Amino acid sequence: MDASYFILDLSNAYEDALPHRAVTETAAQDLSENLSTRFAKKEASGQFVDHINLVQEELHRTAFLPGISSSHRATVCHALCSILQSCLLSGRTSLIALTQPEELPGKLLSINLSHAESLRIRSSREILATLTSILRGVEQETSIQTRSLIVQTQILRTVHAAQSDLDRTKVKPALQALEYLLKRDVLSLESITQEWRALDTSRAQTSDDQGDLNLLDALGLAILSFMTYSDVAPAAGAVFVAVYTKIEQRRFGISDNETYQSRIPLWASPIYINLERDWETLEPIQQQIFPDLFRLNPLKFEVFLDDLGFRDLIRDTVQAYADRKLILLFCALQVGKEVGLIRESGGALLEGCGIVINSADIIRPYLVNQLPEIRSAAFSLIISSPNQTFHFTKESLEALQYSLPFFHSETDAKTRNSNLGLIRRLVERLRASSLALYRQSAERRGATLNRLTTSRILPSPELESPCKSSETLHNEFLLWYIEFLKTTIGPSSPYYQQIGGLKALLSLFHSGLDRSIPISRLPKRSQGQHKWAKQLSIFDGHLVRLLLDLLFNPYNDIRAIAATILELPGVFDISLISEGSILSTRSEYLVASSGRADHSDGLAKLLFLRYKLACRDMILKGLSQDSHKACAALMIESLLDQLEKKVRGADHNIAEAVAHAPFHAEIIGLRYMLEDSLKDGEIHNFTSIQQKIWTCCRSIWDVVQEVLCVDSPEGYVLEDEDPEFDIGTKDLLSFCWRALKESR
C-alpha cells in the first residue's frame, strides 16, 4: 500500500515488549490528535478504506488485550472511537460502511463490559456515545432493530447472569450501558421487558391482563436486587429511575391521566417487595432512587405518602402500623423535604405538594421511640432541608433539645455512630443558617436605621428585625448543647455517653465554632464552607479539667479523642501541665501507685501534650526552623534522660521499679514525640538521640531478660524479696512484658 494512504504507520506502531504485539500508547495518541487533518486530506479510495479498516481492527484487538495499562487502554479506545466517529461524519459511503457490520456494536460493548475495572469513566462514556451514533447511523430500519437487539441481549444476559453469579465485575457497566441507551431511545422499554421475560424463565406465567405489570415488577426487582452492593447501587438506581421515567413520559397527556395520577405509583410495588426481602437496601434506595422519582411526578409522591399511612400519621393513629412502614414514611418525607417538595415554614409546619404537617407536635414523640431506626428517621426528618441556610424554627429547636439527651444515651455502637453522623449534619446546618440569619438581621437593621435616620426618629425595640429572635434562639440552643455535652463526659458518665459527647465536641471544634482555633487548623473540608456568624469560647476551666481527667480513662479511644481536642491550639496554658505542676505531680503519682497500662498511656499523652504545646509556643515566638528543631530535640533528650535513670533503678532493684517507678509512660511518650518529629523531617542531633534510644532499649532487655527467659516464667519468684514491696509474679511479668513490648 502507498505510504500516502497511512493515517497510522502500522509497521512502526507496535512494541515487542508489549503482550501480543499491541499498538503502542504513543502511536494511538498521535493518531487521535491528528485524525481530522489526515481524514480531510485523503480520498475515499479502496486502498484508504482498507487501511482504515485494518487500523480499526488492530486498535480493537489491542483494546481487548488483558496485559496493558489503564491509560494505554483508554488511549486506544479513544483512537478507535475517533476513527468510527470520523467515518460516520465523513459523508462518504465507503467509510460509513465500515461502521455497519452487525458484529461491531457488540464488539464495542464487549470492551466496555470486559475491561470496565481498568477503563476510565470518560473512556466508557465515549464508547457508549460511539455505540449510540453507530446504531442511529444505520439507514435500514430492520438493521437498526437487529443491531439494537444484539446489544440489548448482551446487556440483559450479563445482568441476569450476575444475579446468581458471585462475579459482579460486568454488571455495573452493563447497567450503565442500559441506562445510557434507554435514555437516548436506542433501546425500547417494551423490548427490554419482553426479552427479560424470556431470560427469567423461573418466573411464573401470568394472565394477559396482568402481564405488563408483572413483567415490569420482575424487571424492577431484578434491578433493585443490586442495591445491596455499594459499588453497583448508583448504576442500578439510575436504571430503575430511567425505566419508570419512560413510563411517566409515555403516560403523560393520555385521556385517563387523572385516574392514572390517583393510582399508587408503579414503582412502589417492586420497592415494597424488595424491602421485604432485604431491608438493608432502604438507605441506597433513599439516596439513589427516591429523589429523582419524587421530582419526576410530585402527585405520585403524594399518593405514595398516603399509601404509607401519612393520613394516619396526621391523625396520630399510626400505632397500629408496622414499624418498617413508619420508617419508610419518614424517609420519604425527608427526601421530599430535601428535594423541595415539602418545606418547613413558621410554626414548624411542613407543607408543599398538598402536604401540611406540624413537625413539632407529630414527629416529636417519634424522636424518643423505642426503636433506634424510627428515632434516627424522625431526627433526620427534622434536620434535613433543601437548603442548608434555612434556619430552624423555634418548635424544631425545642424538639431537638428534647431528643438529644436520648441520642447521647445510645448503647449500641452501630446506632451510636449513625446518630453521630446525624449530629454532624445538624452542626453543618446550624453553621450555615447562623450566617444567613446574621446577614438577614444586618440587612434589616441597616434598612430600618436608614429609614429612621431620614425621618429623624430614634429606633425603638419594637422595630427590631424578626430575624433577631431566630438568631438568638440558635445561639441559645448552641450554648445549651455545649453545656449538655460537658455533662456527658464527666467522670461518672458511662462509656457510651463519654465517647458520644467527645465526638460531638470534636465536630463542633472542627466546624470552626470556637474562636481560639484558627481556620488553618481546621479540617480541609471545613475551611471552604460556611463560617459561623458568631464564634463562641467553648473551652473553659471546667472543660479542660474534664478532658485532662479523660486522658487516664480506661478506654483507649476516649483517651485518644480527649488528647486530640487538647492538642488544638489556644485551648489552655502550658503552665497547667508543666513539669512540677499539681496536675503533672498527681498524674505521676497515679502511674507510680497503680502501674496500670491505661494510666501509663495517659501520662504519655500528657508528656506528649506538653511537648506539642512547647513546640507551638516556640513557633509563635518566631524562632527559626533550626532553633525549633533544636528545642524539640532537647525535650526528647530530657525525656530520654528520665527514662535512662528509671531503667538504671530497675536494674538495681526491679521490685522497687515495679512497685513505685514504672517507666512505661516514658517509653510511650518518647514514641509519640519521635513519630510527631519525623513528620516535620529529620530530627536535630538524631544520631546522638538514636544511640541513646538503642542504649535504653538494650538496658531494658537486660532488666527483663532474666524474668521472661526463665523456663517457667509464671512461677518466677524474686530472690531476697523485700516485704516492703507487695508485688507478686503476675505484677512482675506484666511489668516486664509491657516494658519489652513498648520498647520494640
Side-chain angles (χ1 to χ4, degrees):
M1 185 183 298
D2 195 313
S4 62
Y5 288 107
F6 289 164
I7 64 169
L8 177 65
D9 187 359
L10 291 175
S11 62
N12 298 317
Y14 301 106
E15 185 175 328
D16 294 335
L18 294 175
H20 307 292
R21 198 170 157 76
V23 176
T24 64
E25 185 175 352
T26 303
Q29 186 174 1
D30 179 66
L31 171 62
S32 302
E33 292 174 352
N34 302 287
L35 188 63
S36 58
T37 304
R38 292 170 177 175
F39 250 79
K41 293 180 179 179
K42 310 298 179 184
E43 297 180 359
S45 64
Q47 284 185 311
F48 181 63
V49 172
D50 292 341
H51 175 63
I52 293 293
N53 190 39
L54 179 60
V55 171
Q56 170 192 308
E57 290 178 354
E58 288 299 295
L59 291 173
H60 207 114
R61 183 182 60 80
T62 302
F64 261 109
L65 294 178
I68 62 177
S69 65
S70 59
S71 62
H72 189 175
R73 196 184 311 278
T75 305
V76 170
C77 287
H78 177 60
L80 176 61
C81 292
S82 299
I83 288 179
L84 293 174
Q85 292 282 14
S86 298
C87 290
L88 286 169
L89 297 174
S90 66
R92 305 169 189 173
T93 306
S94 57
L95 291 176
I96 295 175
L98 295 178
T99 66
Q100 303 303 302
E102 288 190 0
E103 68 276 7
L104 180 60
K107 290 171 66 176
L108 269 179
L109 183 62
S110 295
I111 298 175
N112 201 24
L113 298 183
S114 301
H115 301 284
E117 293 183 343
S118 60
L119 268 180
R120 296 173 179 174
I121 296 177
R122 181 178 177 182
S123 301
S124 180
R125 285 282 178 180
E126 189 175 20
I127 290 174
L128 292 176
T130 304
L131 179 61
T132 301
S133 300
I134 290 174
L135 292 175
R136 286 177 172 172
V138 180
E139 296 181 357
Q140 298 180 0
E141 185 66 27
T142 55
S143 298
I144 294 177
Q145 293 178 357
T146 302
R147 288 164 175 76
S148 298
L149 284 175
I150 292 174
V151 171
Q152 176 181 294
T153 301
Q154 191 173 353
I155 293 174
L156 293 181
R157 284 181 177 175
T158 302
V159 174
H160 187 267
Q163 285 186 289
S164 55
D165 192 357
L166 296 178
D167 184 13
R168 301 188 309 275
T169 55
K170 293 184 179 181
V171 68
K172 181 179 178 180
L175 290 171
Q176 290 172 335
L178 183 61
E179 182 240 350
Y180 189 94
L181 298 175
L182 184 60
K183 276 186 173 181
R184 287 154 182 79
D185 295 321
V186 176
L187 303 180
S188 68
L189 183 59
E190 293 80 3
S191 176
I192 291 173
T193 53
Q194 292 296 332
E195 184 161 354
W196 186 259
R197 178 172 61 177
L199 289 172
D200 195 12
T201 55
S202 61
R203 193 180 64 84
Q205 297 297 321
T206 56
S207 58
D208 292 337
D209 58 335
Q210 295 179 340
D212 291 340
L213 179 61
N214 289 332
L215 278 175
L216 203 56
D217 284 353
L219 180 61
L221 280 171
I223 297 170
L224 290 176
S225 66
F226 296 105
M227 299 300 290
T228 306
Y229 312 107
S230 58
D231 57 331
V232 185
V239 175
F240 190 86
V241 171
V243 167
Y244 288 94
T245 299
K246 287 297 177 184
I247 295 175
E248 288 293 335
Q249 292 172 348
R250 187 173 57 187
R251 291 279 186 172
F252 183 76
I254 60 177
S255 58
D256 63 338
N257 187 56
E258 185 174 349
T259 304
Y260 167 72
Q261 296 290 6
S262 63
R263 294 175 183 169
I264 298 174
L266 293 177
W267 45 260
S269 177
I271 287 178
Y272 288 159
I273 298 172
N274 184 75
L275 289 176
E276 288 179 4
R277 295 176 179 177
D278 187 359
W279 180 251
E280 296 298 321
T281 58
L282 174 60
E283 184 176 353
I285 288 175
Q286 180 183 354
Q287 295 173 351
Q288 307 293 341
I289 293 178
F290 279 172
D292 291 327
L293 284 182
F294 292 172
R295 280 191 291 254
L296 179 63
N297 191 336
L299 294 178
K300 285 294 186 182
F301 167 59
E302 186 177 352
V303 175
F304 181 60
L305 292 183
D306 286 341
D307 188 56
L308 290 174
F310 176 68
R311 304 298 175 187
D312 295 322
L313 179 71
I314 297 177
R315 302 187 191 102
D316 199 22
T317 59
V318 78
Q319 290 86 348
Y321 279 74
D323 294 328
R324 289 186 171 182
K325 192 173 184 181
L326 181 59
I327 295 171
L328 182 57
L329 173 59
F330 281 146
C331 291
L333 287 171
Q334 176 191 337
V335 174
K337 192 177 176 185
E338 290 174 347
V339 300
L341 297 177
I342 301 175
R343 66 184 179 88
E344 189 171 15
S345 60
L349 289 177
L350 296 177
E351 59 182 1
C353 194
I355 302 164
V356 180
I357 64 173
N358 190 305
S359 59
D361 293 341
I362 296 178
I363 300 177
R364 180 169 173 164
Y366 300 103
L367 292 171
V368 293
N369 190 276
Q370 61 180 352
L371 290 178
E373 294 87 354
I374 293 180
R375 293 198 301 269
S376 298
F379 192 92
S380 186
L381 175 58
I382 291 287
I383 66 174
S384 61
S385 174
N387 192 333
Q388 288 287 79
T389 60
F390 289 171
H391 66 275
F392 288 100
T393 62
K394 177 183 177 182
E395 292 77 8
S396 295
L397 291 175
E398 288 176 348
L400 291 172
Q401 190 169 339
Y402 169 71
S403 64
L404 278 170
F406 296 93
F407 266 62
H408 281 277
S409 299
E410 183 58 59
T411 57
D412 180 69
K414 183 179 179 180
T415 306
R416 187 167 58 244
N417 289 332
S418 175
N419 291 347
L420 286 170
L422 294 174
I423 289 172
R424 291 189 196 100
R425 287 175 50 196
L426 168 64
V427 172
E428 292 301 321
R429 185 174 171 192
L430 285 170
R431 179 170 63 173
S433 60
S434 70
L435 186 60
L437 283 171
Y438 175 78
R439 289 173 176 170
Q440 292 173 20
S441 180
E443 291 173 1
R444 185 70 62 87
R445 284 197 301 269
T448 303
L449 184 61
N450 290 336
R451 186 173 66 253
L452 295 177
T453 303
T454 304
S455 60
R456 297 182 179 181
I457 300 176
L458 294 176
S460 61
E462 291 78 9
L463 295 175
E464 287 288 337
S465 166
C467 293
K468 182 180 180 181
S469 60
S470 296
E471 188 179 0
T472 303
L473 286 171
H474 280 65
N475 291 334
E476 289 176 350
F477 174 79
L478 274 172
L479 291 172
W480 168 84
Y481 189 43
I482 292 169
E483 291 302 317
F484 167 73
L485 290 177
K486 292 178 184 178
T487 65
T488 64
I489 62 173
S492 60
S493 299
Y495 165 80
Y496 54 83
Q497 285 190 349
Q498 289 178 333
I499 192 67
L502 283 171
K503 288 184 177 180
L505 276 172
L506 192 59
S507 296
L508 287 173
F509 290 126
H510 284 170
S511 71
L513 178 60
D514 191 271
R515 62 167 59 96
S516 63
I517 304 175
I519 295 178
S520 59
R521 295 304 302 271
L522 297 177
K524 290 184 178 179
R525 66 177 182 274
S526 301
Q527 293 181 15
Q529 297 181 358
H530 299 285
K531 307 297 186 293
W532 289 95
K534 181 180 179 181
Q535 291 182 302
L536 305 175
S537 294
I538 301 178
F539 280 108
D540 55 20
H542 181 214
L543 179 57
V544 170
R545 173 58 189 274
L546 289 172
L547 292 171
L548 288 171
D549 286 344
L550 288 176
L551 291 180
F552 298 89
N553 191 277
Y555 297 98
N556 182 54
D557 50 353
I558 289 181
R559 296 196 303 272
I561 298 176
T564 300
I565 296 175
L566 287 169
E567 288 173 22
L568 294 171
V571 174
F572 62 95
D573 190 357
I574 189 176
S575 62
L576 186 63
I577 59 171
S578 61
E579 189 173 357
S581 64
I582 296 176
L583 180 63
S584 294
T585 304
R586 182 173 65 90
S587 302
E588 291 167 2
Y589 175 77
L590 177 65
V591 172
S593 59
S594 70
R596 287 172 44 171
D598 53 348
H599 291 166
S600 296
D601 184 64
L603 179 57
K605 284 182 167 56
L606 194 64
L607 294 172
F608 176 66
L609 183 60
R610 184 190 301 165
Y611 165 83
K612 286 284 289 185
L613 295 180
C615 290
R616 191 175 298 144
D617 285 349
M618 287 185 284
I619 294 175
L620 293 175
K621 290 177 182 178
L623 293 179
S624 65
Q625 186 72 9
D626 291 339
S627 299
H628 167 254
K629 288 187 176 182
C631 292
L634 282 175
M635 286 186 281
I636 294 174
E637 288 180 333
S638 176
L639 185 59
L640 266 171
D641 292 338
Q642 294 180 34
L643 178 59
E644 286 178 337
K645 182 179 178 181
K646 286 192 173 184
V647 173
R648 284 195 301 268
D651 190 32
H652 177 70
N653 189 341
I654 192 171
E656 184 178 1
V658 174
H660 300 305
F663 47 76
H664 309 97
E666 284 78 5
I667 302 176
I668 302 170
L670 182 62
R671 187 180 78 243
Y672 290 158
M673 292 180 189
L674 290 171
E675 288 174 350
D676 184 74
S677 298
L678 289 171
K679 292 178 183 177
D680 301 327
E682 186 178 350
I683 301 175
H684 182 78
N685 199 20
F686 183 66
T687 303
S688 174
I689 292 175
Q690 190 178 33
Q691 184 60 42
K692 283 187 176 183
I693 293 173
W694 166 252
T695 303
C696 273
C697 291
R698 181 67 193 181
S699 300
I700 291 171
W701 171 244
D702 292 338
V703 170
V704 303
Q705 181 182 16
E706 184 181 356
V707 177
L708 298 179
C709 291
V710 71
D711 291 340
S712 181
E714 67 277 4
Y716 184 88
V717 179
L718 285 171
E719 297 180 4
D720 302 325
E721 182 177 352
D722 192 335
E724 178 186 351
F725 308 120
D726 184 19
I727 64 171
T729 305
K730 179 181 177 183
D731 301 317
L732 180 61
L733 284 174
S734 175
F735 175 91
C736 294
W737 275 115
R738 284 171 49 209
L740 183 63
K741 172 181 175 293
E742 300 299 346
S743 62
R744 290 183 60 187

